[in-house]
Amino acid sequence: MEYDVIIIGAGPGGIFSAYELMKKSPETRVAVFEEGNTLEKRKCPIDGKKVKSCIKCPTCAIMNGFGGAGAFSDGKYNITNDFGGTLYEYIGRDQSID
Ligand SMILES: Cc1cc2nc3c(=O)[nH]c(=O)nc-3n(C[C@H](O)[C@H](O)[C@H](O)COP(=O)(O)OP(=O)(O)OC[C@H]3O[C@@H](n4cnc5c(N)ncnc54)[C@H](O)[C@@H]3O)c2cc1C
């Protein structure tokens, strides 16, 4: 398979680059390569009992994978309610942006 654009990393930067390219230039063949796991498989093994600290996984479930370091954002810095946490569910959309 040949691509016009290859994006390395499916963090917010990679995902939105691909999204904008698809919107503005649908004929462009874009591939996004990500070394980490899919969202569903991003589970840190630290459970506080058996695994108490970092065991240096090949790719870090917290920092790497689809969604990048922002996938499990704690949402304390909100620039939008559309992604990056669910603070708005607790205090409302307007207050969360304020
Ligand atoms: C704990 C924490 C809390 C945060 N909280 C907030 C918040 O509340 N609000 C906010 O706005 N921001 C927050 N941030 C910041 C936000 O997560 C980052 O600004 C954002 O993730 C940066 O996006 P990025 O796409 O540039 O990089 P990243 O998110 O780092 O994505 C890069 C991706 O590239 C992949 N990659 C790297 N090298 C390769 C390779 N050679 N091959 C394949 N894949 C590769 C990585 O696995 C990763 O998935 C937080 C960050 C952290 C760590």
Side-chain angles (χ1 to χ4, degrees):
M1 185 92 186
E2 290 196 359
Y3 301 100
D4 302 306
V5 178
I6 289 178
I7 296 169
I8 307 298
I15 293 169
F16 281 96
S17 299
Y19 177 69
E20 291 296 326
L21 274 165
M22 283 170 57
K23 265 201 320 191
K24 294 190 169 115
S25 177
E27 69 286 351
T28 300
R29 293 164 301 175
V30 180
V32 181
F33 289 94
E34 170 56 58
E35 67 182 353
N37 282 318
T38 57
L39 269 181
E40 305 75 50
K41 288 191 179 161
R42 289 182 63 175
K43 300 248 185 319
C44 176
I46 299 175
D47 61 5
K49 294 173 192 143
K50 267 180 151 174
V51 182
K52 294 202 164 120
S53 59
C54 180
I55 56 166
K56 309 269 184 238
C57 299
T59 59
C60 172
I62 304 296
M63 298 298 288
N64 306 108
F66 188 84
F72 302 114
S73 161
D74 52 10
K76 62 180 168 282
Y77 174 49
N78 270 256
I79 54 170
T80 172
N81 285 312
D82 296 334
F83 56 87
T86 53
L87 182 63
Y88 68 89
E89 288 180 4
Y90 302 94
I91 62 172
R93 290 182 175 271
D94 290 341
Q95 194 180 350
S96 132
I97 294 300
D98 284 349

